[in-house]
Amino acid sequence: MEPESGPDSPSSAGKRAGRLYVVGLGPGSRDLMVPAARDALEKASHIIGYETYVRLAGPFRSDQQLHGSDNRVELDRAAHAFALAAQGEDVAIVSSGDPGVFAMASAVLEALDNATDDRWRRVDLVIVPGVTAAQSVAMRAGAPLGHDFCIISLSDNLKPWEVIEKRLSLAAQADFVIGLYNPISKARPWQLGRAFQLLLETRAPQTPVILGRDIDRDGETLTVTSLGEVHPKQVDMRTCVIVGSSATRLIKRADGGVWVYTPRFYSLNPDPHQG
Ligand code: SAH
């Protein structure tokens, strides 16, 4: 951890505990950041997070201190934030999307759960939500999340791959729309292909699949394909994948594209044209 004391830093003695905001930045642009998040970013004297997200959260004033760090040190970051807030500082710790979805809010609460410093428990903790990746992909594609859905991270860094396979299979059997986060990386090259294979065991090849990459950021792309045609090469870590349920449908758009939606109703024969 970086030392926080400097010539200008206030003494920690006798000060109230500070506030720790855990802020969701949304998918990318300031437009899709909730007003409470903008407010928190203004009020905080310290901004902590993965460098890319700290940059995304800006611009900041010269009196605000930025603490960018590597992506894989969530618990250190949380401890750093608590240490500052316990001294009376107001701190914002930032995540992309929603901080409660595969992101910093859980890391912050894990740190609090294991805290040995009682001052951490007096920190005024505020979680500020954000538009999560699946929602931002959905808003571009239409309404694929219009009925029951689930979100699964394909990363096996923090859970065994067997658990992921089990969840995929059961979610497919239960006919959920499935959002896949952290779909593929250099260290995890084959898992996404295996996931598609598992889903194809219960779901038809024509099931719509949406690939949203860098949504609401520069270079955004949206691809609508199908479970039978999608290839893991079309996907990277900056992509969120949504796999439709048996009820998910396409509508042709006047501009040549398609809308993807999942109807609100569901029957044992989910195709309204057959029932
Ligand atoms: N807290 C974040 C998710 C972090 S996990 C949220 O709520 O959105 C990181 C994964 O989120 C990425 O691998 C990708 O699958 C997805 N993701 C995050 N931002 C995205 C964006 N702008 N466009 C598409 N997918 C995104």
Side-chain angles (χ1 to χ4, degrees):
M1 252 192 291
E2 302 152 42
E4 286 316 315
S5 53
D8 303 328
S9 62
S11 148
S12 64
K15 280 198 75 172
R16 67 162 182 103
R19 182 169 283 180
L20 172 51
Y21 299 98
V22 187
V23 177
L25 300 176
S29 78
R30 201 107 183 143
D31 283 352
L32 290 184
M33 194 187 288
V34 307
R38 290 188 222 165
D39 197 47
L41 294 175
E42 278 217 18
K43 287 189 174 136
S45 328
H46 297 264
I47 319 292
I48 295 181
Y50 177 45
E51 276 171 28
T52 313
Y53 300 145
V54 171
R55 227 176 298 129
L56 202 70
F60 293 102
R61 300 180 307 268
S62 57
D63 62 306
Q64 295 180 294
Q65 283 189 44
L66 311 184
H67 309 267
S69 58
D70 186 77
N71 206 3
R72 291 184 179 248
V73 289
E74 284 93 352
L75 272 183
D76 291 351
R77 235 185 261 149
H80 185 189
F82 272 115
L84 284 168
Q87 290 167 28
E89 301 286 320
D90 288 336
V91 181
I93 190 159
V94 296
S95 283
S96 77
D98 185 274
V101 179
F102 308 129
M104 283 308 303
S106 292
V108 162
L109 290 171
E110 283 162 38
L112 185 62
D113 209 6
N114 296 316
T116 51
D117 184 341
D118 257 356
R119 291 176 313 162
W120 288 20
R121 295 180 209 286
R122 292 198 289 273
V123 165
D124 182 11
L125 186 60
V126 180
I127 316 286
V128 185
V131 174
T132 191
Q135 289 175 295
S136 57
V137 174
M139 87 190 168
R140 292 290 194 250
L145 308 180
H147 197 83
D148 299 347
F149 68 93
C150 67
I151 287 173
I152 299 176
S153 167
L154 284 196
S155 170
D156 57 0
N157 289 340
L158 301 171
K159 62 185 166 185
W161 177 252
E162 300 89 273
V163 171
I164 300 174
E165 287 209 356
K166 185 172 179 188
R167 290 184 180 170
L168 285 166
S169 294
L170 293 175
Q173 281 174 49
D175 207 15
F176 284 111
V177 170
I178 304 172
L180 300 175
Y181 284 47
N182 299 309
I184 197 165
S185 73
K186 282 200 189 94
R188 297 182 286 107
W190 56 265
Q191 284 85 341
L192 179 62
R194 173 77 185 129
F196 288 143
Q197 238 176 21
L198 275 173
L199 297 180
L200 271 170
E201 285 175 10
T202 36
R203 219 158 274 189
Q206 62 271 23
T207 304
V209 171
I210 308 160
L211 311 175
R213 181 174 194 272
D214 274 342
I215 297 297
D216 199 37
R217 301 183 187 175
D218 289 344
E220 157 177 339
T221 61
L222 186 86
T223 307
V224 177
T225 174
S226 68
L227 199 51
E229 286 185 352
V230 67
H231 194 283
K233 281 212 167 95
Q234 295 171 274
V235 178
D236 66 7
M237 266 307 263
R238 286 149 66 174
T239 309
C240 175
V241 179
I242 297 181
V243 179
S245 71
S246 66
T248 304
R249 320 177 55 79
L250 305 181
I251 305 174
K252 281 196 178 131
R253 289 162 52 147
D255 64 5
V258 287
W259 288 115
V260 186
Y261 82 104
T262 307
R264 292 162 301 143
F265 52 84
Y266 190 98
S267 60
L268 285 177
N269 177 5
D271 186 337
H273 303 293
Q274 288 174 25

